[in-house]
């Protein structure tokens, strides 16, 4: 039996490796269009921050190891252009320009997502970058090395944009950020988002939200980002305005896709075709709070999805629970985390949500080194359930959010959560963990 | 109606304050034997570590504030010696030696716990201390200030002993620790306990576990702790060998107590007497994993219990869920956390437990500043449930444990937990959170 995987990043290589482990005599072929497989994409901003580190440090396992140690037929430089589900054949072009055809018994589409750059004049100019794959990372790092970049204009203000903002500031590059939308982090409670904004502005970064962008133009050594009412000038422009699923070949093959063109999969990661699975940033998932389909491309789900596909392909029946959309990022001294639904998402999903935000100390009364942290929690008036939470603070945020994530998986009520026996010691928080204080306060409003 | 509270620390003052808030015309009398109320007892080791801080910084709210701002009839220096449940009267002696009698409609026993010093010759010598209440803390701090303490012998190796070890080392005082039991942290997985042991020994602290102690003797400026086969010499001896519930008056009043003399309470915190409640370190609780009574005196439960008593006394019917025994402490650079049952407790409770310990990195692949962390998880072969978890590491331990604590409250299976959507970003952990990796590995053994 031959198991063919399209895409050699997190989901694809997880699936290929596990399938081979599960069933050593299975023929596993991975078709990857680039030369890079199995790298820590999320590590790129941190790598760019350090001029002494090589971008290839982020490679978790190199292609030869997959081939020689694991017996995976890994073909890099192989771009798949079409799937024929009837004949069970994929076809494409390799890096030498030669056509190839590979037949499969089971197929996995793990094509991930691509940067979704806005349709602006000047996007193709030298010095304008996106950051999605390792090659993008190398280009940015080489550019900074070879060109005197004193200032960078970042278009977008999402996770990647903010992580890159910090990364560039660490290299003493001035940063200005711009986006058309009015809010810095639109999903975030307004008070908490303003804490994040202040932290960024304290690093001498100007944030122009609510600013329409007309195009990018080169003028001598500089690039000018023309906006409504202002021109932003830098030697580099980074466009980080979100991603879209790489689902063209899936759509052309007639597979069912969702509203953002994400590939629709069942709980066993099977697409609408009996022999085709999909996982990773190109595939959808159930949301544990709404019970409905969602598309939240994140690394853990990609890896977990890869494993589940491998298990199902090798005869062990596995289904996945949904996602909670748990995410965390660091921006300068702040940790920012979320799980579940924000207020707007809760309303849009038909809940009757109510929100509480509390301000707490990160350490116990009179304990030195304490800082302010914010916890937000959303509850549903009808069911009493927790719908989501957000946190911002200098310490203790990144892992605290997981307690709420577990609660969301269990459809826990705010009341039940408020009774949980959480850890306390003076260096780590107040006696009443800020999450409990928030839940207690939220209960009063419900 | 008069609500009388015996004991003015966490549980007692939480109850008094909330009862008064709930029902401003309620007469609330608090009888506290010492002069200290409402202080952060857990903060004492950290306070002692810093010669420039006053022990009274730990007072969260002073007695006059309770009296004047909250209208609580707080009587310090009032030691209660007897309860007459028939007549509904408590009686005792105040600090001037005068007898007092106070009648009640509802009574709360919040007498906490006392240090449980071993029955050793020399325990009463000057320079020998326990650390339970603020007055103990003041005595230790004053002693260190007034006496040249070059070395301290700590008897015991629990949370307080270890926190005090760190505290004294911070003041450049040599520490040697001794206890009769053979293991440093008997509840902890052996491999992980040895990590903690190494951390302590790296701070030039000698640990003599499995060493019987015969007595303490003064010789000139020094105290000698005579042990089996060795004499430990210091200018100060700290005895931190656990606590016992202060339940004498409850027992004498005929209230039901448990195996360690902890006061037995129902889920509404009521004792075996209709008009008497109890909460805090003197009272028991249900364990969420076993469903049976347990006695785990910790600060959060004391505060939560105080609130629940207040609600019940003022007519709002409240019951508490059980405890998971979630605890964390810092010892030098290590965070040590646990929740639920260890292997032995699991066996003793009739489960069929299996344990997994994994070693992981605290940050993502190739992310700088990463350190080793250990996660242990216990699962029940029969039910598939998680029974407990332990963690040790330099970062990310203290709040991570809460995710498992929530899972225990929900009687979650290891498999369900392994599917949780936890947070990931390179500065905070690997893509697969170490808890998930541990759960995945544990599943294979179950």
């Amino acid at each position: 039996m031959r198991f063919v995987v399209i895409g050699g990043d997190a989901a694809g290589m997880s699936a290929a490796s596990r399938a081979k482990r599960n069933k050593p005599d299975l023929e596993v072929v991975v078709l990857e269009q680039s030369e890079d497989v199995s790298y820590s994409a999320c590590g790129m901003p941190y790598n760019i921050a350090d001029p002494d580190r090589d971008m290839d440090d982020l490679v978790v396992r190199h292609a030869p190891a997959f081939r020689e140690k694991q017996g995976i037929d890994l073909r890099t430089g192989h771009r798949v252009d079409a799937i024929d589900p009837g004949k069970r054949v994929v076809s494409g072009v390799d890096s030498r320009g030669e056509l190839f055809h590979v037949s499969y018994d089971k197929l996995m589409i793990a094509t991930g997502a691509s940067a979704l750059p806005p349709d602006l004049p000047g996007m193709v100019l030298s010095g304008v970058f996106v950051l999605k794959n390792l090659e993008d990372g190398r280009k940015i790092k080489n550019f900074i090395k070879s060109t005197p970049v004193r200032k960078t204009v970042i278009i977008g203000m999402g996770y990647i944009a903010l992580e890159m903002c910090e990364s560039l500031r660490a290299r003493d590059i001035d940063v200005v950020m711009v986006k058309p939308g009015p809010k810095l982090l639109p999903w975030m409670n307004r008070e908490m988002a303003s804490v994040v904004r202040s932290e960024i502005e304290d690093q001498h970064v100007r944030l122009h939200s609510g600013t329409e962008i007309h195009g990018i133009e080169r003028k001598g050594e500089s690039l000018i980002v023309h906006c409504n009412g202002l021109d932003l000038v830098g030697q580099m422009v980074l466009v980080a305005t979100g991603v879209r699923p790489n689902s063209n070949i899936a759509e052309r093959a007639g597979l069912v896709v969702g509203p953002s063109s994400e590939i629709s999969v069942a709980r066993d990661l099977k697409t609408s075709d009996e022999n085709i699975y999909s996982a990773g940033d190109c595939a959808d998932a159930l949301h544990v709070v709404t019970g409905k389909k969602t598309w939240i491309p994140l690394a853990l789900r990609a890896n977990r999805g890869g494993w589940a596909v491998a298990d199902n392909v090798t005869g062990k029946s596995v289904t996945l629970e949904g996602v909670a959309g748990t995410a965390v990022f660091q921006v300068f001294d702040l940790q920012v985390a979320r799980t579940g639904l924000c207020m707007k998402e809760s309303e849009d999903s038909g809940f009757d949500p109510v929100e509480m935000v509390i301000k707490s100390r990160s350490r116990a009364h009179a304990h030195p080194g304490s800082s302010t942290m914010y916890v937000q929690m959303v509850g549903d008036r009808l069911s009493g359930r927790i719908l989501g939470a957000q946190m911002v603070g200098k310490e203790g945020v990144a892992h605290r959010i997981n307690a709420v994530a577990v609660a969301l998986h269990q459809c826990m009520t705010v009341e039940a959560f408020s009774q949980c026996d959480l850890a306390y010691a003076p260096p780590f928080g107040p006696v009443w963990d800020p999450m409990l204080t928030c839940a207690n306060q939220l209960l009063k409003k419900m």
Side-chain angles (χ1 to χ4, degrees), chain A:
Chain A
M1 192 174 109
R2 185 187 285 158
F3 174 39
V4 174
V5 178
I6 310 174
D9 202 351
M13 292 320 298
S14 292
S17 297
R18 189 170 172 107
K20 201 70 192 171
R21 260 199 315 277
N22 286 356
K23 203 171 168 182
D25 62 342
L26 181 73
E27 188 187 354
V28 179
V29 181
V30 177
L31 305 167
E32 163 58 41
Q33 65 177 352
S34 78
E35 293 301 323
D36 299 310
V37 292
S38 184
Y39 58 90
S40 171
C42 306
M44 289 193 292
Y46 305 95
N47 185 291
I48 291 168
D50 182 352
D52 296 331
R53 284 173 64 210
D54 196 291
M55 188 56 69
D56 283 54
D57 288 357
L58 294 174
V59 176
V60 178
R61 183 166 294 189
H62 289 271
F66 285 107
R67 292 185 189 119
E68 289 148 30
K69 292 190 185 157
Q70 293 181 250
I72 294 167
D73 181 358
L74 168 57
R75 307 182 194 173
T76 53
H78 277 60
R79 190 188 79 216
V80 173
D81 293 321
I83 303 165
D84 184 334
K87 293 187 182 153
R88 285 193 275 160
V89 170
V90 300
S91 52
V93 185
D94 70 18
S95 47
R96 293 162 307 176
E98 311 229 338
L99 289 174
F100 65 83
H101 302 273
V102 182
S103 66
Y104 62 84
D105 296 291
K106 298 290 174 191
L107 178 69
M108 176 189 190
I109 306 175
T111 42
S114 291
L116 177 66
D119 186 19
L120 287 178
M123 281 294 299
V124 294
L125 287 171
S126 147
V128 179
F129 297 98
V130 297
L131 178 62
K132 185 66 186 73
N133 59 40
L134 206 57
E135 195 50 31
D136 297 330
R138 288 192 194 101
K139 283 180 190 161
I140 292 173
K141 206 159 184 180
N142 287 336
F143 186 79
I144 296 171
K145 198 175 174 184
S146 62
T147 315
V149 178
R150 294 179 307 280
K151 190 167 186 175
T152 296
V153 182
I154 299 181
I155 301 176
M157 298 186 190
Y159 302 167
I160 306 296
L162 294 173
E163 286 173 351
M164 278 305 299
C165 170
E166 181 177 348
S167 167
L168 295 171
R169 291 298 296 124
R171 296 197 62 168
D172 246 338
I173 295 171
D174 285 338
V175 174
V176 58
M177 302 182 82
V178 60
K179 74 165 190 172
K183 291 178 187 167
L184 170 60
L185 295 164
W187 48 267
M188 185 164 244
N189 167 274
R190 188 182 293 253
E191 184 187 355
M192 292 164 75
S194 78
V195 173
V196 179
R197 177 181 278 270
S198 297
E199 174 74 14
I200 299 167
E201 288 174 342
D202 284 351
Q203 309 293 329
H204 311 291
V205 174
R206 300 269 329 243
L207 296 171
H208 299 282
S209 51
T211 303
E212 233 173 291
I213 303 151
H214 302 310
I216 309 168
E217 194 191 5
R218 171 160 294 286
K219 216 166 204 176
E221 305 259 291
S222 292
L223 291 159
I224 303 170
V225 180
H226 295 291
C227 307
N228 225 8
L230 82 162
D231 282 352
L232 301 172
V233 183
Q235 292 71 49
M236 185 167 105
V237 174
L238 180 73
V239 183
T241 50
V243 294
R244 67 176 163 209
N246 291 327
S247 54
N248 283 351
I249 52 169
E251 282 196 82
R252 284 201 304 267
L255 301 183
V256 174
V257 299
S260 302
S261 292
E262 66 277 15
I263 300 168
S264 185
V265 294
R267 287 185 46 182
D268 62 357
L269 285 308
K270 203 174 270 179
T271 66
S272 52
D273 182 287
E274 182 65 20
N275 298 305
I276 307 180
Y277 293 83
S278 182
D281 289 359
C282 56
D284 70 4
L286 287 173
H287 198 292
V288 292
V289 178
T290 63
K292 291 175 198 151
K293 283 300 188 84
T294 191
W295 181 60
I296 306 174
L298 287 170
L300 173 61
R301 173 70 184 194
N303 283 269
R304 185 178 264 148
W307 281 14
V309 170
D311 286 348
N312 283 316
V313 164
T314 55
K316 186 184 162 196
S317 181
V318 165
T319 58
L320 288 191
E321 295 297 318
V323 296
T326 314
V328 60
F329 64 96
Q330 174 105 34
V331 56
F332 299 107
D333 274 351
L334 283 184
Q335 303 177 0
V336 183
R338 71 170 295 191
T339 189
L341 307 182
C342 66
M343 277 299 279
K344 181 161 188 323
E345 289 161 341
S346 299
E347 283 156 8
D348 292 351
S349 303
F351 292 105
D352 182 10
V354 48
E355 173 183 39
M356 175 54 67
V357 180
I358 64 123
K359 219 166 132 170
S360 174
R361 303 299 296 164
S362 67
R363 303 185 183 187
H365 172 81
H367 198 87
S370 193
S371 58
T372 304
M373 68 177 288
Y374 296 78
V375 176
Q376 178 254 30
M377 197 175 276
V378 181
D380 178 33
R381 272 200 195 86
L382 260 107
S383 62
R385 279 173 63 191
I386 307 177
L387 301 176
Q390 303 171 2
M391 299 180 197
V392 173
K394 287 189 197 296
E395 58 182 3
V397 161
H399 303 114
R400 246 191 193 101
I401 198 75
N402 289 333
V404 185
V406 173
L408 294 181
H409 275 271
Q410 291 287 299
C411 299
M412 242 174 140
T413 62
V414 178
E415 183 157 23
F417 185 82
S418 78
Q419 292 232 3
C420 282
D421 186 15
L422 304 187
Y424 162 63
F428 308 118
V431 177
W432 288 95
D433 189 279
M435 294 186 288
L436 297 175
T437 301
C438 189
N440 284 335
Q441 297 289 328
L442 177 57
L443 270 179
K444 289 186 198 164
K445 269 178 97 173
M446 290 170 70

